[in-house]
Amino acid sequence: GIHIVYKLYENRTTEEIKILAKYIVYNDKCIAILGNKRGETGDLVVSRSGDVAIVVNGFFKEVLRVFDGKGGGNAYMCQGGVSPDRLELAMDKALSIVIDEINKR
């Protein structure tokens, strides 16, 4: 019953990705895992609706650590930067953790 939006973009601003994530999770039971490649930077944003009981920053730091990224956030939304060539791997890791968390419920 939880909708996951997983999408990789190119050449968007970080602010555009964050706004899109906020728009997605404005809906009930949604999680957004969004990536953005722009030059030598890879942006990763993970966000969740208020009615989804997954603490995003509980696993986001681990994803960044594994992929040598930096960032942070709160229980609802996190943002970080990783190498663009490792961005999709980081997104996949975040997706895997989210699916595991959903299946525990």
Side-chain angles (χ1 to χ4, degrees):
I2 296 176
H3 304 279
I4 300 172
V5 177
Y6 176 100
K7 179 75 176 166
L8 177 62
Y9 294 92
E10 290 194 27
N11 299 317
R12 304 288 180 146
T13 67
T14 304
E15 193 59 32
E16 286 176 309
I17 299 302
K18 287 172 48 179
I19 289 169
L20 180 57
K22 288 178 185 178
Y23 178 77
I24 291 166
V25 302
Y26 180 76
N27 297 288
D28 291 338
K29 296 187 188 281
C30 287
I31 295 174
I33 300 172
L34 306 178
N36 178 48
K37 291 182 180 182
R38 55 186 174 86
E40 298 297 315
T41 303
D43 300 310
L44 176 60
V45 174
V46 179
S47 187
R48 67 152 171 112
S49 302
D51 61 350
V52 174
I54 295 173
V55 179
V56 176
N57 63 346
F59 69 84
F60 192 77
K61 290 177 185 173
E62 175 64 17
V63 171
L64 292 179
R65 187 189 65 73
V66 169
F67 295 99
D68 298 323
K70 295 184 181 193
N74 58 39
Y76 296 94
M77 178 182 248
C78 289
Q79 165 196 340
V82 299
S83 171
D85 59 331
R86 302 187 84 194
L87 178 59
E88 289 177 78
L89 293 171
M91 292 174 67
D92 290 345
K93 177 74 172 169
L95 178 62
S96 175
I97 293 170
V98 165
I99 290 170
D100 287 346
E101 288 294 317
I102 290 169
N103 288 334
K104 288 179 185 176
R105 290 164 176 40

XYZ file of all heavy atoms in Angstrom:
813
model
N 0.806 -1.202 0.000
C 0.000 0.000 0.000
C 0.847 1.264 0.000
O 0.303 2.345 0.074
N 2.165 1.131 -0.059
C 3.035 2.315 -0.107
C 3.574 2.468 -1.531
O 4.075 1.519 -2.113
C 4.194 2.195 0.899
C 3.640 2.159 2.325
C 5.181 3.354 0.738
C 4.675 1.938 3.396
N 3.442 3.670 -2.062
C 3.917 3.950 -3.414
C 5.346 4.473 -3.344
O 5.641 5.384 -2.573
C 3.034 4.993 -4.093
C 1.602 4.599 -4.136
N 1.101 3.735 -5.074
C 0.569 4.924 -3.330
C -0.180 3.552 -4.853
N -0.536 4.263 -3.797
N 6.227 3.897 -4.151
C 7.617 4.335 -4.208
C 7.863 4.956 -5.577
O 7.631 4.323 -6.606
C 8.586 3.158 -3.994
C 8.357 2.508 -2.627
C 10.036 3.635 -4.130
C 9.134 1.224 -2.411
N 8.325 6.189 -5.558
C 8.719 6.862 -6.790
C 10.242 6.866 -6.819
O 10.885 7.441 -5.941
C 8.162 8.299 -6.855
C 8.641 9.003 -8.113
C 6.637 8.281 -6.788
N 10.805 6.212 -7.816
C 12.251 6.046 -7.969
C 12.604 6.595 -9.344
O 12.142 6.074 -10.357
C 12.574 4.561 -7.870
C 14.022 4.189 -8.110
C 14.870 3.939 -7.049
C 14.527 4.050 -9.389
C 16.187 3.572 -7.247
C 15.846 3.699 -9.607
C 16.667 3.453 -8.538
O 17.972 3.097 -8.752
N 13.362 7.680 -9.388
C 13.631 8.319 -10.682
C 14.996 8.993 -10.675
O 15.379 9.653 -9.711
C 12.534 9.354 -10.968
C 12.681 10.105 -12.240
C 12.324 9.296 -13.444
C 12.411 10.169 -14.685
N 12.402 9.455 -15.904
N 15.711 8.817 -11.765
C 17.008 9.470 -11.961
C 16.851 10.574 -12.997
O 16.303 10.349 -14.077
C 18.046 8.449 -12.427
C 19.435 8.978 -12.745
C 20.084 9.591 -11.514
C 20.311 7.875 -13.321
N 17.321 11.753 -12.662
C 17.265 12.907 -13.563
C 18.683 13.319 -13.938
O 19.654 12.878 -13.335
C 16.565 14.090 -12.874
C 15.118 13.835 -12.583
C 14.715 13.303 -11.367
C 14.143 14.127 -13.528
C 13.384 13.059 -11.097
C 12.804 13.889 -13.277
C 12.434 13.354 -12.058
O 11.109 13.101 -11.792
N 18.762 14.209 -14.911
C 20.047 14.791 -15.296
C 19.891 16.296 -15.440
O 18.874 16.779 -15.958
C 20.554 14.180 -16.600
C 20.974 12.734 -16.436
C 21.783 12.223 -17.617
O 22.437 13.021 -18.296
O 21.749 11.004 -17.838
N 20.910 16.992 -14.980
C 21.031 18.435 -15.155
C 19.875 19.244 -14.584
O 19.473 20.257 -15.152
C 21.244 18.777 -16.631
C 22.510 18.164 -17.158
O 23.541 18.191 -16.493
N 22.440 17.561 -18.331
N 19.341 18.802 -13.455
C 18.358 19.580 -12.698
C 19.106 20.250 -11.552
O 20.199 19.852 -11.191
C 17.266 18.678 -12.105
C 16.538 17.825 -13.080
C 15.615 18.646 -13.926
N 14.925 17.782 -14.875
C 13.700 17.991 -15.274
N 13.025 19.021 -14.842
N 13.148 17.177 -16.139
N 18.506 21.249 -10.966
C 19.121 21.835 -9.774
C 18.736 20.991 -8.560
O 17.729 20.267 -8.582
C 18.652 23.289 -9.545
O 17.262 23.288 -9.218
C 18.915 24.151 -10.776
N 19.527 21.105 -7.524
C 19.215 20.400 -6.284
C 17.858 20.842 -5.762
O 17.063 20.028 -5.285
C 20.306 20.659 -5.226
O 21.567 20.283 -5.768
C 20.049 19.890 -3.952
N 17.575 22.108 -5.860
C 16.298 22.645 -5.375
C 15.119 22.043 -6.144
O 14.085 21.722 -5.546
C 16.288 24.173 -5.484
C 15.163 24.818 -4.719
C 15.174 24.517 -3.224
O 16.245 24.340 -2.626
O 14.070 24.439 -2.649
N 15.260 21.855 -7.452
C 14.189 21.223 -8.235
C 13.899 19.804 -7.736
O 12.735 19.402 -7.624
C 14.560 21.155 -9.716
C 14.495 22.465 -10.445
C 14.975 22.352 -11.886
O 16.096 21.814 -12.103
O 14.243 22.791 -12.780
N 14.944 19.060 -7.447
C 14.778 17.676 -6.979
C 14.097 17.676 -5.613
O 13.197 16.863 -5.351
C 16.143 16.959 -6.937
C 16.766 16.897 -8.342
C 16.008 15.560 -6.340
C 15.929 16.201 -9.378
N 14.486 18.570 -4.735
C 13.870 18.650 -3.408
C 12.395 19.043 -3.505
O 11.550 18.473 -2.813
C 14.632 19.644 -2.532
C 15.973 19.124 -2.065
C 16.823 20.147 -1.368
C 16.144 20.929 -0.309
N 17.041 21.899 0.346
N 12.082 19.995 -4.357
C 10.687 20.412 -4.532
C 9.853 19.268 -5.087
O 8.731 19.032 -4.634
C 10.604 21.660 -5.444
C 11.159 22.879 -4.702
C 9.174 21.907 -5.912
C 11.363 24.100 -5.574
N 10.398 18.537 -6.044
C 9.681 17.394 -6.613
C 9.432 16.328 -5.538
O 8.328 15.781 -5.439
C 10.456 16.797 -7.784
C 9.812 15.600 -8.467
C 8.417 15.929 -8.981
C 10.700 15.130 -9.616
N 10.433 16.053 -4.716
C 10.269 15.075 -3.633
C 9.173 15.526 -2.666
O 8.322 14.721 -2.270
C 11.587 14.867 -2.893
N 9.154 16.803 -2.315
C 8.118 17.324 -1.422
C 6.735 17.186 -2.050
O 5.768 16.858 -1.360
C 8.397 18.786 -1.070
C 9.553 18.977 -0.127
C 9.790 20.453 0.138
C 11.025 20.664 0.982
N 11.299 22.085 1.205
N 6.654 17.443 -3.333
C 5.377 17.313 -4.042
C 4.887 15.863 -4.027
O 3.712 15.603 -3.783
C 5.539 17.812 -5.480
C 4.299 17.671 -6.312
C 3.236 18.568 -6.175
C 4.168 16.628 -7.214
C 2.085 18.429 -6.926
C 3.022 16.486 -7.976
C 1.982 17.384 -7.830
O 0.847 17.237 -8.576
N 5.786 14.927 -4.264
C 5.423 13.506 -4.282
C 4.914 13.064 -2.925
O 3.873 12.417 -2.816
C 6.626 12.639 -4.726
C 6.938 12.887 -6.205
C 6.363 11.152 -4.462
C 8.277 12.351 -6.657
N 5.637 13.402 -1.866
C 5.269 12.909 -0.547
C 4.170 13.736 0.115
O 3.743 13.423 1.220
C 6.498 12.764 0.388
C 7.513 11.822 -0.229
C 7.116 14.100 0.723
N 3.697 14.751 -0.566
C 2.507 15.455 -0.103
C 1.314 14.506 -0.137
O 0.380 14.621 0.637
C 2.264 16.690 -0.978
C 1.053 17.493 -0.566
C 1.109 18.319 0.547
C -0.127 17.420 -1.282
C 0.001 19.056 0.938
C -1.245 18.153 -0.901
C -1.171 18.964 0.202
O -2.269 19.683 0.588
N 1.369 13.524 -1.030
C 0.340 12.489 -1.126
C 0.551 11.461 -0.021
O 1.655 11.268 0.475
C 0.423 11.794 -2.486
C 0.154 12.747 -3.622
O -0.976 13.163 -3.829
N 1.206 13.114 -4.342
N -0.509 10.777 0.352
C -0.435 9.746 1.383
C 0.335 8.528 0.889
O 0.294 8.195 -0.292
C -1.840 9.300 1.810
C -2.593 10.379 2.561
O -1.936 11.286 3.109
O -3.827 10.315 2.600
N 1.015 7.867 1.828
C 1.688 6.587 1.607
C 2.653 6.620 0.409
O 2.606 5.773 -0.465
C 0.669 5.468 1.441
C -0.161 5.246 2.691
C -1.030 4.028 2.552
C -1.983 3.897 3.690
N -1.484 3.382 4.899
N 3.532 7.593 0.398
C 4.506 7.722 -0.690
C 5.922 7.867 -0.151
O 6.144 8.475 0.894
C 4.187 8.941 -1.556
S 2.749 8.740 -2.596
N 6.844 7.322 -0.907
C 8.267 7.493 -0.657
C 8.899 7.902 -1.977
O 8.601 7.318 -3.022
C 8.919 6.198 -0.146
C 8.342 5.822 1.222
C 10.435 6.336 -0.074
C 8.814 4.497 1.753
N 9.747 8.912 -1.939
C 10.456 9.369 -3.134
C 11.943 9.085 -2.963
O 12.542 9.444 -1.948
C 10.224 10.863 -3.346
N 12.515 8.430 -3.958
C 13.967 8.219 -4.033
C 14.382 8.818 -5.363
O 14.130 8.245 -6.431
C 14.320 6.722 -3.958
C 13.826 6.115 -2.638
C 15.832 6.524 -4.126
C 13.955 4.610 -2.560
N 14.963 10.009 -5.306
C 15.273 10.752 -6.518
C 16.766 11.018 -6.614
O 17.412 11.385 -5.631
C 14.520 12.089 -6.525
C 13.001 12.013 -6.329
C 12.401 13.411 -6.297
C 12.350 11.165 -7.406
N 17.298 10.841 -7.804
C 18.699 11.118 -8.070
C 18.817 12.141 -9.177
O 17.909 12.305 -9.996
N 19.945 12.823 -9.196
C 20.180 13.853 -10.200
C 21.669 13.927 -10.509
O 22.484 14.138 -9.612
C 19.688 15.209 -9.671
C 19.935 16.327 -10.648
O 19.625 16.217 -11.816
N 20.484 17.428 -10.159
N 22.008 13.696 -11.758
C 23.404 13.841 -12.195
C 23.562 15.195 -12.861
O 22.838 15.518 -13.803
C 23.769 12.745 -13.206
C 23.834 11.367 -12.616
C 24.244 10.353 -13.674
C 24.313 8.956 -13.106
N 24.764 7.983 -14.117
N 24.513 15.964 -12.342
C 24.814 17.264 -12.951
C 26.309 17.493 -12.876
O 26.858 17.751 -11.815
C 24.022 18.388 -12.299
C 24.180 18.496 -10.830
C 23.240 19.555 -10.226
N 23.350 19.497 -8.791
C 24.268 20.144 -8.082
N 25.137 20.924 -8.684
N 24.313 20.012 -6.778
N 26.938 17.313 -13.999
C 28.384 17.471 -14.057
C 29.103 16.466 -13.190
O 28.888 15.270 -13.296
N 29.928 16.958 -12.295
C 30.715 16.108 -11.408
C 30.005 15.825 -10.083
O 30.631 15.363 -9.137
C 32.070 16.774 -11.131
C 32.920 16.973 -12.378
C 33.294 15.643 -13.025
O 33.695 14.708 -12.295
O 33.161 15.540 -14.252
N 28.707 16.114 -10.036
C 27.945 15.959 -8.796
C 26.766 15.023 -9.002
O 26.104 15.056 -10.034
C 27.419 17.333 -8.311
O 28.524 18.212 -8.150
C 26.669 17.220 -7.006
N 26.505 14.199 -8.007
C 25.309 13.370 -7.986
C 24.511 13.689 -6.739
O 25.021 13.593 -5.628
N 23.274 14.137 -6.921
C 22.393 14.466 -5.799
C 21.476 13.285 -5.512
O 20.934 12.685 -6.438
C 21.498 15.664 -6.131
C 22.284 16.910 -6.460
O 23.176 17.265 -5.671
O 21.997 17.533 -7.499
N 21.274 12.987 -4.252
C 20.342 11.953 -3.825
C 19.390 12.556 -2.802
O 19.833 13.167 -1.827
C 21.092 10.772 -3.209
C 20.248 9.645 -2.623
C 19.359 9.009 -3.679
C 21.141 8.595 -1.968
N 18.090 12.407 -3.061
C 17.063 12.878 -2.137
C 16.134 11.715 -1.847
O 15.652 11.052 -2.766
C 16.264 14.071 -2.729
C 15.114 14.458 -1.812
C 17.171 15.254 -2.971
N 15.904 11.459 -0.563
C 14.956 10.439 -0.130
C 13.985 11.114 0.814
O 14.397 11.790 1.762
C 15.662 9.254 0.571
C 14.636 8.221 1.022
C 16.693 8.614 -0.342
N 12.687 10.938 0.543
C 11.664 11.589 1.341
C 10.478 10.652 1.518
O 10.297 9.721 0.737
C 11.230 12.880 0.638
O 10.360 13.624 1.445
N 9.674 10.922 2.554
C 8.505 10.084 2.812
C 7.336 10.915 3.283
O 7.506 11.999 3.841
C 8.827 9.031 3.844
C 9.103 9.645 5.216
C 8.747 8.684 6.316
N 9.188 9.128 7.609
C 8.345 9.493 8.565
N 7.055 9.538 8.343
N 8.810 9.834 9.746
N 6.134 10.391 3.046
C 4.915 11.014 3.544
C 4.871 10.915 5.062
O 5.489 10.026 5.656
C 3.678 10.296 2.987
O 3.672 10.301 1.590
N 4.096 11.772 5.672
C 3.959 11.762 7.116
C 3.336 10.492 7.666
O 3.549 10.145 8.824
N 2.582 9.774 6.824
C 1.914 8.557 7.295
C 2.713 7.283 7.030
O 2.215 6.186 7.227
C 0.515 8.440 6.675
C 0.543 8.361 5.168
O 1.598 8.585 4.549
O -0.526 8.075 4.591
N 3.954 7.423 6.592
C 4.834 6.268 6.372
C 5.797 6.200 7.556
O 6.519 7.147 7.831
C 5.613 6.392 5.040
C 6.618 5.262 4.898
C 4.657 6.419 3.861
N 5.803 5.066 8.234
C 6.571 4.929 9.482
C 7.992 4.436 9.250
O 8.469 3.535 9.921
C 5.836 3.994 10.435
N 8.673 5.045 8.309
C 10.087 4.735 8.061
C 10.871 6.011 8.355
O 10.560 7.072 7.820
C 10.316 4.279 6.608
C 9.599 2.953 6.351
C 11.811 4.159 6.309
C 9.630 2.504 4.906
N 11.866 5.895 9.215
C 12.691 7.049 9.567
C 13.811 7.152 8.531
O 14.752 6.358 8.544
C 13.249 6.903 10.999
C 14.116 8.092 11.354
C 12.102 6.750 11.990
N 13.687 8.105 7.644
C 14.605 8.210 6.509
C 16.045 8.417 6.956
O 16.955 7.755 6.459
C 14.147 9.332 5.544
C 15.135 9.508 4.413
C 12.766 9.025 4.983
N 16.268 9.321 7.909
C 17.655 9.562 8.314
C 18.225 8.402 9.123
O 19.412 8.368 9.391
C 17.818 10.888 9.037
C 17.052 10.982 10.339
O 16.167 10.161 10.619
N 17.343 11.996 11.118
N 17.388 7.429 9.469
C 17.881 6.236 10.143
C 18.757 5.369 9.259
O 19.635 4.659 9.737
N 18.535 5.418 7.954
C 19.354 4.614 7.028
C 20.125 5.454 6.018
O 21.061 4.975 5.397
C 18.485 3.592 6.273
C 17.527 4.187 5.283
C 17.946 4.512 4.000
C 16.210 4.410 5.614
C 17.070 5.054 3.075
C 15.319 4.938 4.701
C 15.755 5.268 3.421
N 19.762 6.719 5.863
C 20.378 7.545 4.829
C 21.877 7.726 5.054
O 22.667 7.655 4.106
C 19.678 8.909 4.770
C 20.031 9.721 3.560
C 19.468 9.430 2.328
C 20.914 10.776 3.647
C 19.786 10.181 1.208
C 21.234 11.529 2.537
C 20.664 11.238 1.306
N 22.267 7.924 6.296
C 23.694 8.105 6.596
C 24.499 6.865 6.224
O 25.630 6.972 5.760
C 23.888 8.452 8.062
C 23.399 9.831 8.413
C 23.533 10.127 9.887
C 22.906 11.465 10.204
N 22.858 11.717 11.630
N 23.899 5.693 6.415
C 24.580 4.447 6.044
C 24.764 4.360 4.527
O 25.822 3.957 4.046
C 23.795 3.233 6.556
C 24.359 1.907 6.123
C 25.757 1.611 6.673
O 26.184 2.265 7.644
O 26.430 0.725 6.125
N 23.740 4.745 3.788
C 23.850 4.746 2.320
C 24.985 5.676 1.896
O 25.831 5.312 1.075
C 22.526 5.168 1.660
C 22.695 5.377 0.158
C 21.437 4.122 1.923
N 25.030 6.860 2.458
C 26.086 7.814 2.099
C 27.465 7.298 2.504
O 28.434 7.473 1.766
C 25.821 9.174 2.746
C 24.609 9.937 2.224
C 24.473 11.253 2.970
C 24.686 10.181 0.725
N 27.544 6.675 3.677
C 28.833 6.155 4.134
C 29.368 5.105 3.170
O 30.542 5.127 2.792
C 28.702 5.560 5.537
C 30.043 5.147 6.140
C 29.869 4.377 7.429
N 29.209 3.098 7.259
C 29.774 2.011 6.697
N 31.003 2.062 6.258
N 29.103 0.882 6.588
N 28.513 4.194 2.737
C 28.925 3.123 1.825
C 29.431 3.696 0.504
O 30.358 3.161 -0.100
C 27.751 2.145 1.575
C 28.054 1.177 0.443
C 27.421 1.380 2.849
N 28.850 4.808 0.065
C 29.205 5.366 -1.241
C 30.001 6.667 -1.141
O 30.022 7.466 -2.064
C 27.941 5.553 -2.084
C 27.286 4.241 -2.402
C 26.208 3.782 -1.672
C 27.796 3.429 -3.406
C 25.621 2.557 -1.945
C 27.224 2.204 -3.688
C 26.134 1.774 -2.953
N 30.649 6.869 0.003
C 31.526 8.028 0.216
C 30.823 9.358 -0.065
O 31.409 10.269 -0.641
C 32.795 7.927 -0.642
C 33.633 6.716 -0.296
O 33.709 6.380 0.902
O 34.175 6.084 -1.223
N 29.579 9.443 0.349
C 28.816 10.674 0.142
C 28.721 11.488 1.411
O 29.173 11.082 2.482
N 28.143 12.670 1.271
C 27.936 13.569 2.402
C 26.520 14.117 2.322
O 25.982 14.310 1.233
C 28.937 14.721 2.375
C 30.365 14.265 2.572
C 31.298 15.427 2.642
C 32.702 14.853 2.804
N 33.671 15.800 3.173
N 25.948 14.358 3.485
C 24.611 14.925 3.520
C 23.956 14.674 4.850
O 24.593 14.271 5.812
N 22.656 14.891 4.881
C 21.910 14.694 6.104
C 20.456 15.051 5.908
O 19.986 15.202 4.789
N 19.765 15.175 7.010
C 18.349 15.507 6.954
C 17.652 15.125 8.230
O 18.265 15.069 9.296
N 16.372 14.823 8.098
C 15.571 14.466 9.268
C 14.777 13.194 8.984
O 15.019 12.525 7.986
C 14.662 15.635 9.664
C 13.734 16.051 8.534
O 13.203 15.222 7.799
N 13.531 17.350 8.391
N 13.850 12.880 9.833
C 13.084 11.641 9.706
C 12.228 11.601 8.443
O 11.848 10.529 7.985
C 12.200 11.450 10.939
N 11.947 12.762 7.856
C 11.056 12.845 6.691
C 11.775 13.040 5.361
O 11.299 12.579 4.334
C 10.054 13.991 6.870
C 9.134 13.774 8.028
C 9.422 14.311 9.276
C 7.982 13.023 7.884
C 8.579 14.108 10.353
C 7.128 12.812 8.949
C 7.435 13.355 10.178
O 6.595 13.143 11.240
N 12.901 13.745 5.386
C 13.602 14.034 4.133
C 15.092 14.163 4.368
O 15.524 14.817 5.316
C 13.079 15.318 3.493
C 13.807 15.702 2.214
S 13.191 17.241 1.519
C 12.424 16.624 0.038
N 15.858 13.528 3.489
C 17.312 13.632 3.529
C 17.834 13.956 2.138
O 17.242 13.569 1.131
C 17.937 12.322 4.001
S 17.663 11.984 5.741
N 18.965 14.636 2.115
C 19.600 15.018 0.864
C 21.101 14.836 1.016
O 21.662 15.113 2.072
C 19.279 16.485 0.564
C 20.147 17.100 -0.487
C 20.049 18.617 -0.462
O 19.103 19.182 0.054
N 21.049 19.273 -0.993
N 21.738 14.350 -0.049
C 23.174 14.179 0.004
C 23.793 14.197 -1.371
O 23.091 14.192 -2.383
N 25.088 14.201 -1.377
C 25.829 14.192 -2.622
C 26.765 12.998 -2.676
O 27.393 12.650 -1.675
N 26.802 12.359 -3.821
C 27.715 11.243 -4.079
C 28.300 11.433 -5.463
O 27.823 12.243 -6.249
C 27.013 9.860 -3.990
C 26.436 9.623 -2.612
C 25.936 9.714 -5.036
N 29.322 10.677 -5.757
C 29.904 10.714 -7.089
C 28.821 10.313 -8.100
O 28.080 9.358 -7.874
C 31.076 9.739 -7.153
O 31.527 9.592 -8.470
N 28.720 11.014 -9.235
C 27.672 10.682 -10.205
C 27.770 9.255 -10.738
O 26.747 8.652 -11.060
C 27.836 11.711 -11.319
C 29.111 12.393 -11.088
C 29.526 12.156 -9.674
N 28.974 8.696 -10.785
C 29.102 7.328 -11.282
C 28.674 6.284 -10.244
O 28.513 5.114 -10.568
C 30.519 7.046 -11.783
C 31.582 7.223 -10.733
O 31.386 8.046 -9.815
O 32.616 6.541 -10.813
N 28.435 6.707 -9.009
C 27.961 5.790 -7.960
C 26.531 6.108 -7.525
O 25.978 5.446 -6.651
C 28.903 5.864 -6.757
C 30.344 5.504 -7.157
C 31.255 5.413 -6.004
N 31.089 4.053 -5.467
C 31.526 3.682 -4.283
N 32.146 4.533 -3.520
N 31.351 2.446 -3.865
N 25.934 7.114 -8.142
C 24.612 7.575 -7.742
C 23.547 6.489 -7.870
O 22.763 6.264 -6.952
C 24.211 8.810 -8.550
C 22.818 9.375 -8.274
C 22.664 9.774 -6.811
C 22.544 10.558 -9.188
N 23.510 5.807 -8.989
C 22.490 4.778 -9.177
C 22.659 3.627 -8.186
O 21.667 3.064 -7.706
C 22.498 4.269 -10.616
C 21.956 5.316 -11.579
C 22.019 4.872 -13.023
O 21.155 4.066 -13.419
O 22.937 5.341 -13.734
N 23.886 3.286 -7.840
C 24.121 2.263 -6.823
C 23.596 2.722 -5.460
O 22.995 1.937 -4.720
C 25.610 1.931 -6.723
C 26.241 1.249 -7.930
C 27.755 1.177 -7.767
C 25.642 -0.134 -8.129
N 23.807 3.994 -5.143
C 23.302 4.548 -3.879
C 21.773 4.555 -3.874
O 21.145 4.226 -2.866
C 23.856 5.953 -3.657
N 21.168 4.909 -5.013
C 19.707 4.884 -5.116
C 19.173 3.467 -4.934
O 18.177 3.252 -4.245
C 19.267 5.451 -6.465
C 19.513 6.936 -6.636
S 19.138 7.511 -8.320
C 17.348 7.270 -8.375
N 19.845 2.506 -5.559
C 19.435 1.105 -5.433
C 19.532 0.629 -3.986
O 18.658 -0.104 -3.504
C 20.276 0.198 -6.329
C 19.997 0.369 -7.803
O 18.966 0.983 -8.158
O 20.822 -0.110 -8.616
N 20.587 1.036 -3.287
C 20.764 0.668 -1.878
C 19.632 1.255 -1.037
O 19.053 0.570 -0.186
C 22.131 1.156 -1.376
C 22.402 0.909 0.074
C 22.689 -0.530 0.347
C 23.161 -0.724 1.781
N 23.211 -2.120 2.152
N 19.309 2.521 -1.276
C 18.212 3.156 -0.549
C 16.899 2.430 -0.832
O 16.115 2.171 0.087
C 18.107 4.631 -0.931
N 16.660 2.081 -2.077
C 15.443 1.362 -2.445
C 15.367 0.013 -1.749
O 14.322 -0.359 -1.208
C 15.372 1.170 -3.961
C 14.168 0.384 -4.488
C 12.863 1.087 -4.156
C 14.315 0.167 -5.992
N 16.474 -0.698 -1.720
C 16.522 -2.005 -1.062
C 16.187 -1.889 0.422
O 15.413 -2.692 0.968
C 17.904 -2.621 -1.259
O 18.009 -3.817 -0.548
N 16.734 -0.887 1.084
C 16.468 -0.686 2.503
C 14.998 -0.328 2.724
O 14.359 -0.849 3.641
C 17.402 0.395 3.087
C 18.853 -0.112 3.090
C 16.944 0.802 4.493
C 19.879 0.947 3.417
N 14.459 0.537 1.879
C 13.049 0.919 2.013
C 12.152 -0.292 1.849
O 11.218 -0.517 2.632
C 12.693 2.020 0.985
C 11.182 2.179 0.839
C 13.320 3.352 1.397
N 12.408 -1.121 0.850
C 11.600 -2.325 0.632
C 11.700 -3.259 1.830
O 10.690 -3.806 2.288
C 12.001 -3.025 -0.678
C 11.560 -2.170 -1.873
C 11.396 -4.422 -0.774
C 12.102 -2.628 -3.204
N 12.904 -3.429 2.370
C 13.071 -4.259 3.571
C 12.259 -3.705 4.739
O 11.629 -4.473 5.468
C 14.548 -4.356 3.975
C 15.369 -5.244 3.054
O 14.767 -5.994 2.255
O 16.607 -5.174 3.143
N 12.281 -2.406 4.924
C 11.527 -1.773 6.008
C 10.022 -1.961 5.819
O 9.300 -2.222 6.777
C 11.872 -0.286 6.122
C 13.246 -0.012 6.670
C 13.385 -0.438 8.111
O 12.465 -0.197 8.925
O 14.422 -1.042 8.450
N 9.553 -1.829 4.594
C 8.131 -2.010 4.308
C 7.726 -3.456 4.598
O 6.674 -3.716 5.187
C 7.813 -1.644 2.844
C 7.939 -0.132 2.640
C 6.411 -2.122 2.447
C 7.897 0.306 1.197
N 8.564 -4.396 4.199
C 8.240 -5.809 4.392
C 8.249 -6.228 5.861
O 7.649 -7.244 6.209
C 9.193 -6.694 3.586
C 8.926 -6.619 2.099
O 7.807 -6.334 1.676
N 9.946 -6.859 1.313
N 8.923 -5.471 6.712
C 8.932 -5.774 8.150
C 7.601 -5.441 8.811
O 7.317 -5.927 9.884
C 10.032 -4.981 8.863
C 11.430 -5.446 8.570
C 12.425 -4.584 9.314
C 13.848 -4.938 8.951
N 14.811 -4.031 9.603
N 6.831 -4.614 8.161
C 5.551 -4.158 8.760
C 4.421 -5.058 8.415
O 4.269 -5.716 7.549
C 5.254 -2.731 8.313
C 6.257 -1.784 8.991
C 6.314 -0.443 8.359
N 7.133 0.543 8.956
C 8.330 0.423 9.484
N 8.888 -0.701 9.585
N 8.988 1.449 9.957
